[in-house]
Structure formats: C-alpha cells, structure tokens
Amino acid sequence: MKLRHSLAAALACTVAAPLALCAAAPALAAGATPAQTRNQPTYEELQAAAAAAAKAHTAAVTAEAEGRKEVEASLDALDSPEHPLKAAAIAAEKVAKAAASAKNAADERVTKAKAELEAAEGDTEKAAAQQALTTAEADLATAVKDQQTADAELEKADTAVDDARVAATRKYGMLQADLDRTSKAQTAADAALAAAKECVRENGLTALAQGLPSKVVAGSTVGFTLSVTNGTERTLDVDPLVFLHAAAEGAGAKNLLKAEWADGTAWRTLSADQPEHIGRIDSLPPRGHRDVKMRLTVDASAHKSAGLALFAGDASDAYNPCVLGPMRRYDLEILPAGSAPGRVEDAKPGRPGKNDDTRPTTAKPGKGNNTSPQGGAAGPAPTPSAVGALASTGANSATLPLALASAAAVAIGAGALIAVRRRKAADNA
C-alpha cells in the first residue's frame, strides 16, 4: 500500500504542477499521520495536475500537427526555384559551372601555348610564343581565382538552403519532443490520480451498533445506535454503510425487516435489498465520533429465522477519496410474534464472511445526501464494550440457525454490496 501511494506522489511530480506537489515525503498510506500527509499532494491537486497535463498534451498534439504541415511546406518551398535561397543557389551553381568552364579553357590555352613554344625555331618566333604562354598562364590564374570564388559562393548558397532545412526540421523536432514529454506527463498524472483513487483500508474507522438486540420478536420495533468513530489521525468525511437482511427474504419476497435512521428531522427508511450509505458525517476529526439513531421493525408475519446486519464506515479525505473501515457483521435471531425471548443480550460485532465484505478496489464512498444524522456532536471516542470485541472472530454461530441464512442472505448481501460500491464509485468518478 505504501509503495503504491509513494508511486502516486512521485508520478504527480512529473507533470506541470505546483512545487508543493514535488516536495512530498512518502505518500499517503493506511494509518498515515498528519505529519506524513501534509506535504503530500491532495486529491484535488492530483486532479488539477492531471487536468493540466491533459490540456498541455492536447495543445502539444495540435502544435505537432500544425508544425508537421509547416515543416513540409517549408521543405517543399526550399525545393522550389522561386524560393530566394533556392534561386540564389541555382544562380551560384550556374556561375560556378561557367567559372569551371573558363578555367578548363584557360588550361587548354596554356597547354597549347607551351606546345607552340617548344615548336618555335627562331628567336622572334620563340619570343612571340613565350609572350602567348605568359598571357595564357595569367588568364589561367585569373580563371582559377574566379572558379574558387564561384565555388565558395555556391557552397555558401547551398549552406543557406541546408541551414533553412535544418532550422525547419529542428523546430518540428522540438514539437515532437514536446509531444512525447507531454504524453509521458499525462500518463504519469493519470497514473497518480488512479493510484489515489484506490481504496485505503483504515482499521481505526469503525461503525459499531450499540443496543442492537440479538433477538427480535416479529411485530416489534427496537431502537439502537450506530456509533461511528474516527480512530485515525486524519479528519475524514464519513459515509456509514448499512445493510439489514432476513434469511427468508429473496427476489420478490415480502420485506420482513424495515430499517430506519434519523436524519435530525425525520426517519428515513433504508433499502430492503441492498447496502446503503446513510447521511454523510462531514469533517469527523481524529478520535471523534458521531452517533446515528436507528430503529428496526420486524414484520408481524415473520417466522422464526435468521437475520444479519452489516455496518462499515466508508470515508474520504483530502488525500484519498476512498477510505474503507472494517465491515462488522451482527447475527440476529428473528422470533415469531408473541414469543417470549427472555433475557436478550446485544448482538456482538463479528468479522464478516468472505462474501459479506467483498469490496472492489475501485470502490469509493458515496457522496452522501448532505443530511447529517441525528445524534451527538463529534467528540472524544466512546469506550463501549463492543469496541473491545473488535478482536473477536464474531458471534457464536452455533447459537443461531444461520444455516438458513448462509445461502440466501449472505449471497444477496454480497452481491448487493458489490453493486452499491460500484454505483457509488461511478457517482464519484
């Protein structure tokens, strides 16, 4: 977990983002302290960095496409005789060719003059031949200089054309490099944001039922309290997750259990066939808690059966939108109407079955309904006896007819739990 979040923070620093994002110590992990998290990029900063990286990459894609057209047009233009640089190179080439021809002609005249000097017989004839050779050699020297000058001008003109080509391709190369850089930055920013979306497990975030009886008689209503405690070192926005189900219920069956919670002004009925996030608890401080008043009504027609209740705290904070507390399962015994249950103890929190606590890694807490639950204000964590039962493996299943519940209630509970988590994740995406 720590490695994954360290990677997220490192990747975030590869994009154009505030310096604070790159000054982070190891990134958020389960149980991280404020000292460890305050220098980490917040989830909003990661979102901003990802948006900025995407915007930069989009601009780079546009610039590269336009740059490609520009460089192709520039290279095509440089190949046209109408381009000034190309026209100058063509003209210089003509001058160089003419100078080369003149030099070759001067070479031939010198060769001819030397032959005539060797063939001369008299002094007068030799003097005339010598004069012709001297003139031819002077002309050759001039032609050589003219050719050197023309060749230098041709090289200069060709270099100007080549430099223009290089400049055009260099500019495009910078656009290609920027496209590659922004692509990598966007990938890194998206990876950092995706890593931050992954759920962090926080055992210190608990949602425990207080006063929920282990036996409930059909036709009766019982009240209890859901106590949500933030045992972490970070302030969290908590969405309690609640699910109560009777074993006899199935597809199309009559709802035997009616669960409700108090939002401060009225009682709200929970879904009968799937887990549900109830009122969000905003800014629950470290070691703070909030009590949610709840009540459970069993239909008068219910027969002897088993039931279960699942409670968990789903949360978010500035660094991660998905913080999951442990799921706790409470096994209930539903008695027929008119039964005398005798002494009834509170249901004990136990570890859920493997199907009860199936939470996809992409799950995130719900947005809440912005309605605070009715109950005490956040304050120091209570020390109920149920908290000490966290280490317990659960209620003694031998005391309840849970064989009936395992096939129906557990299966429905697991499937519904997965569905609600995915739906909430989609809402927050």
Side-chain angles (χ1 to χ4, degrees), residues 68-84:
R68 187 187 315 116
K69 294 178 181 178
E70 182 179 340
V71 71
E72 290 174 350
S74 297
L75 295 178
D76 289 343
L78 286 169
D79 289 334
S80 171
E82 297 179 358
H83 193 284

PDB file of all heavy atoms in Angstrom, residues 68-84:
ATOM      1  N   ARG A  68       3.966  19.898 -38.306  1.00  0.00           N
ATOM      2  CA  ARG A  68       4.250  18.963 -39.394  1.00  0.00           C
ATOM      3  C   ARG A  68       3.878  19.581 -40.742  1.00  0.00           C
ATOM      4  O   ARG A  68       4.634  19.497 -41.719  1.00  0.00           O
ATOM      5  CB  ARG A  68       3.495  17.661 -39.182  1.00  0.00           C
ATOM      6  CG  ARG A  68       3.889  16.574 -40.195  1.00  0.00           C
ATOM      7  CD  ARG A  68       3.022  15.338 -40.109  1.00  0.00           C
ATOM      8  NE  ARG A  68       2.807  14.909 -38.738  1.00  0.00           N
ATOM      9  CZ  ARG A  68       1.624  14.899 -38.147  1.00  0.00           C
ATOM     10  NH1 ARG A  68       0.542  15.320 -38.797  1.00  0.00           N
ATOM     11  NH2 ARG A  68       1.495  14.474 -36.913  1.00  0.00           N
ATOM     12  N   LYS A  69       2.719  20.209 -40.788  1.00  0.00           N
ATOM     13  CA  LYS A  69       2.308  20.872 -42.039  1.00  0.00           C
ATOM     14  C   LYS A  69       3.281  21.994 -42.395  1.00  0.00           C
ATOM     15  O   LYS A  69       3.640  22.176 -43.566  1.00  0.00           O
ATOM     16  CB  LYS A  69       0.897  21.447 -41.877  1.00  0.00           C
ATOM     17  CG  LYS A  69      -0.189  20.402 -41.696  1.00  0.00           C
ATOM     18  CD  LYS A  69      -1.549  21.061 -41.502  1.00  0.00           C
ATOM     19  CE  LYS A  69      -2.644  20.025 -41.288  1.00  0.00           C
ATOM     20  NZ  LYS A  69      -3.976  20.683 -41.060  1.00  0.00           N
ATOM     21  N   GLU A  70       3.699  22.732 -41.371  1.00  0.00           N
ATOM     22  CA  GLU A  70       4.605  23.853 -41.601  1.00  0.00           C
ATOM     23  C   GLU A  70       5.960  23.385 -42.123  1.00  0.00           C
ATOM     24  O   GLU A  70       6.511  23.969 -43.068  1.00  0.00           O
ATOM     25  CB  GLU A  70       4.779  24.643 -40.307  1.00  0.00           C
ATOM     26  CG  GLU A  70       5.664  25.871 -40.441  1.00  0.00           C
ATOM     27  CD  GLU A  70       5.795  26.642 -39.147  1.00  0.00           C
ATOM     28  OE1 GLU A  70       4.935  26.457 -38.275  1.00  0.00           O
ATOM     29  OE2 GLU A  70       6.746  27.430 -39.025  1.00  0.00           O
ATOM     30  N   VAL A  71       6.511  22.331 -41.531  1.00  0.00           N
ATOM     31  CA  VAL A  71       7.827  21.877 -41.975  1.00  0.00           C
ATOM     32  C   VAL A  71       7.755  21.261 -43.361  1.00  0.00           C
ATOM     33  O   VAL A  71       8.672  21.435 -44.184  1.00  0.00           O
ATOM     34  CB  VAL A  71       8.415  20.870 -40.952  1.00  0.00           C
ATOM     35  CG1 VAL A  71       7.693  19.542 -40.979  1.00  0.00           C
ATOM     36  CG2 VAL A  71       9.900  20.646 -41.227  1.00  0.00           C
ATOM     37  N   GLU A  72       6.667  20.555 -43.650  1.00  0.00           N
ATOM     38  CA  GLU A  72       6.517  20.009 -45.001  1.00  0.00           C
ATOM     39  C   GLU A  72       6.415  21.127 -46.026  1.00  0.00           C
ATOM     40  O   GLU A  72       7.014  21.055 -47.112  1.00  0.00           O
ATOM     41  CB  GLU A  72       5.280  19.117 -45.056  1.00  0.00           C
ATOM     42  CG  GLU A  72       5.433  17.801 -44.283  1.00  0.00           C
ATOM     43  CD  GLU A  72       4.148  17.000 -44.234  1.00  0.00           C
ATOM     44  OE1 GLU A  72       3.094  17.551 -44.637  1.00  0.00           O
ATOM     45  OE2 GLU A  72       4.188  15.841 -43.778  1.00  0.00           O
ATOM     46  N   ALA A  73       5.667  22.183 -45.689  1.00  0.00           N
ATOM     47  CA  ALA A  73       5.548  23.326 -46.598  1.00  0.00           C
ATOM     48  C   ALA A  73       6.891  24.023 -46.760  1.00  0.00           C
ATOM     49  O   ALA A  73       7.268  24.441 -47.877  1.00  0.00           O
ATOM     50  CB  ALA A  73       4.497  24.300 -46.069  1.00  0.00           C
ATOM     51  N   SER A  74       7.641  24.158 -45.667  1.00  0.00           N
ATOM     52  CA  SER A  74       8.948  24.824 -45.730  1.00  0.00           C
ATOM     53  C   SER A  74       9.927  24.048 -46.602  1.00  0.00           C
ATOM     54  O   SER A  74      10.658  24.628 -47.418  1.00  0.00           O
ATOM     55  CB  SER A  74       9.515  25.000 -44.322  1.00  0.00           C
ATOM     56  OG  SER A  74       8.696  25.844 -43.548  1.00  0.00           O
ATOM     57  N   LEU A  75       9.942  22.726 -46.428  1.00  0.00           N
ATOM     58  CA  LEU A  75      10.868  21.903 -47.227  1.00  0.00           C
ATOM     59  C   LEU A  75      10.466  21.907 -48.692  1.00  0.00           C
ATOM     60  O   LEU A  75      11.339  21.950 -49.577  1.00  0.00           O
ATOM     61  CB  LEU A  75      10.886  20.481 -46.673  1.00  0.00           C
ATOM     62  CG  LEU A  75      11.453  20.319 -45.255  1.00  0.00           C
ATOM     63  CD1 LEU A  75      11.371  18.868 -44.809  1.00  0.00           C
ATOM     64  CD2 LEU A  75      12.898  20.812 -45.197  1.00  0.00           C
ATOM     65  N   ASP A  76       9.168  21.863 -48.957  1.00  0.00           N
ATOM     66  CA  ASP A  76       8.715  21.937 -50.346  1.00  0.00           C
ATOM     67  C   ASP A  76       9.100  23.277 -50.967  1.00  0.00           C
ATOM     68  O   ASP A  76       9.536  23.344 -52.125  1.00  0.00           O
ATOM     69  CB  ASP A  76       7.197  21.745 -50.421  1.00  0.00           C
ATOM     70  CG  ASP A  76       6.785  20.310 -50.126  1.00  0.00           C
ATOM     71  OD1 ASP A  76       7.655  19.420 -50.192  1.00  0.00           O
ATOM     72  OD2 ASP A  76       5.592  20.087 -49.818  1.00  0.00           O
ATOM     73  N   ALA A  77       8.947  24.344 -50.197  1.00  0.00           N
ATOM     74  CA  ALA A  77       9.289  25.681 -50.704  1.00  0.00           C
ATOM     75  C   ALA A  77      10.777  25.803 -50.994  1.00  0.00           C
ATOM     76  O   ALA A  77      11.181  26.426 -51.993  1.00  0.00           O
ATOM     77  CB  ALA A  77       8.855  26.739 -49.694  1.00  0.00           C
ATOM     78  N   LEU A  78      11.602  25.206 -50.130  1.00  0.00           N
ATOM     79  CA  LEU A  78      13.058  25.277 -50.328  1.00  0.00           C
ATOM     80  C   LEU A  78      13.511  24.503 -51.562  1.00  0.00           C
ATOM     81  O   LEU A  78      14.629  24.716 -52.057  1.00  0.00           O
ATOM     82  CB  LEU A  78      13.775  24.753 -49.084  1.00  0.00           C
ATOM     83  CG  LEU A  78      13.754  25.691 -47.873  1.00  0.00           C
ATOM     84  CD1 LEU A  78      14.253  24.970 -46.628  1.00  0.00           C
ATOM     85  CD2 LEU A  78      14.598  26.932 -48.145  1.00  0.00           C
ATOM     86  N   ASP A  79      12.668  23.588 -52.037  1.00  0.00           N
ATOM     87  CA  ASP A  79      12.995  22.858 -53.253  1.00  0.00           C
ATOM     88  C   ASP A  79      12.500  23.585 -54.515  1.00  0.00           C
ATOM     89  O   ASP A  79      12.792  23.157 -55.627  1.00  0.00           O
ATOM     90  CB  ASP A  79      12.376  21.455 -53.206  1.00  0.00           C
ATOM     91  CG  ASP A  79      13.081  20.559 -52.206  1.00  0.00           C
ATOM     92  OD1 ASP A  79      14.273  20.809 -51.931  1.00  0.00           O
ATOM     93  OD2 ASP A  79      12.448  19.616 -51.691  1.00  0.00           O
ATOM     94  N   SER A  80      11.756  24.669 -54.325  1.00  0.00           N
ATOM     95  CA  SER A  80      11.219  25.416 -55.460  1.00  0.00           C
ATOM     96  C   SER A  80      12.216  26.481 -55.926  1.00  0.00           C
ATOM     97  O   SER A  80      12.787  27.200 -55.099  1.00  0.00           O
ATOM     98  CB  SER A  80       9.896  26.090 -55.064  1.00  0.00           C
ATOM     99  OG  SER A  80       9.470  26.979 -56.070  1.00  0.00           O
ATOM    100  N   PRO A  81      12.430  26.604 -57.239  1.00  0.00           N
ATOM    101  CA  PRO A  81      13.354  27.629 -57.760  1.00  0.00           C
ATOM    102  C   PRO A  81      12.874  29.055 -57.478  1.00  0.00           C
ATOM    103  O   PRO A  81      13.643  30.008 -57.644  1.00  0.00           O
ATOM    104  CB  PRO A  81      13.389  27.343 -59.260  1.00  0.00           C
ATOM    105  CG  PRO A  81      12.143  26.587 -59.548  1.00  0.00           C
ATOM    106  CD  PRO A  81      11.851  25.802 -58.324  1.00  0.00           C
ATOM    107  N   GLU A  82      11.624  29.180 -57.049  1.00  0.00           N
ATOM    108  CA  GLU A  82      11.101  30.507 -56.750  1.00  0.00           C
ATOM    109  C   GLU A  82      11.476  30.985 -55.350  1.00  0.00           C
ATOM    110  O   GLU A  82      11.353  32.169 -55.046  1.00  0.00           O
ATOM    111  CB  GLU A  82       9.576  30.501 -56.895  1.00  0.00           C
ATOM    112  CG  GLU A  82       9.101  30.206 -58.318  1.00  0.00           C
ATOM    113  CD  GLU A  82       7.593  30.192 -58.410  1.00  0.00           C
ATOM    114  OE1 GLU A  82       6.940  30.374 -57.360  1.00  0.00           O
ATOM    115  OE2 GLU A  82       7.065  30.005 -59.523  1.00  0.00           O
ATOM    116  N   HIS A  83      11.939  30.075 -54.508  1.00  0.00           N
ATOM    117  CA  HIS A  83      12.361  30.471 -53.166  1.00  0.00           C
ATOM    118  C   HIS A  83      13.665  31.270 -53.276  1.00  0.00           C
ATOM    119  O   HIS A  83      14.583  30.879 -54.000  1.00  0.00           O
ATOM    120  CB  HIS A  83      12.577  29.246 -52.283  1.00  0.00           C
ATOM    121  CG  HIS A  83      12.713  29.553 -50.829  1.00  0.00           C
ATOM    122  ND1 HIS A  83      13.861  30.074 -50.281  1.00  0.00           N
ATOM    123  CD2 HIS A  83      11.834  29.445 -49.793  1.00  0.00           C
ATOM    124  CE1 HIS A  83      13.707  30.244 -48.991  1.00  0.00           C
ATOM    125  NE2 HIS A  83      12.466  29.867 -48.665  1.00  0.00           N
ATOM    126  N   PRO A  84      13.785  32.388 -52.588  1.00  0.00           N
ATOM    127  CA  PRO A  84      15.002  33.217 -52.712  1.00  0.00           C
ATOM    128  C   PRO A  84      16.296  32.460 -52.461  1.00  0.00           C
ATOM    129  O   PRO A  84      17.274  32.631 -53.203  1.00  0.00           O
ATOM    130  CB  PRO A  84      14.773  34.304 -51.645  1.00  0.00           C
ATOM    131  CG  PRO A  84      13.291  34.390 -51.507  1.00  0.00           C
ATOM    132  CD  PRO A  84      12.783  32.994 -51.697  1.00  0.00           C
TER     133      PRO A  84
END
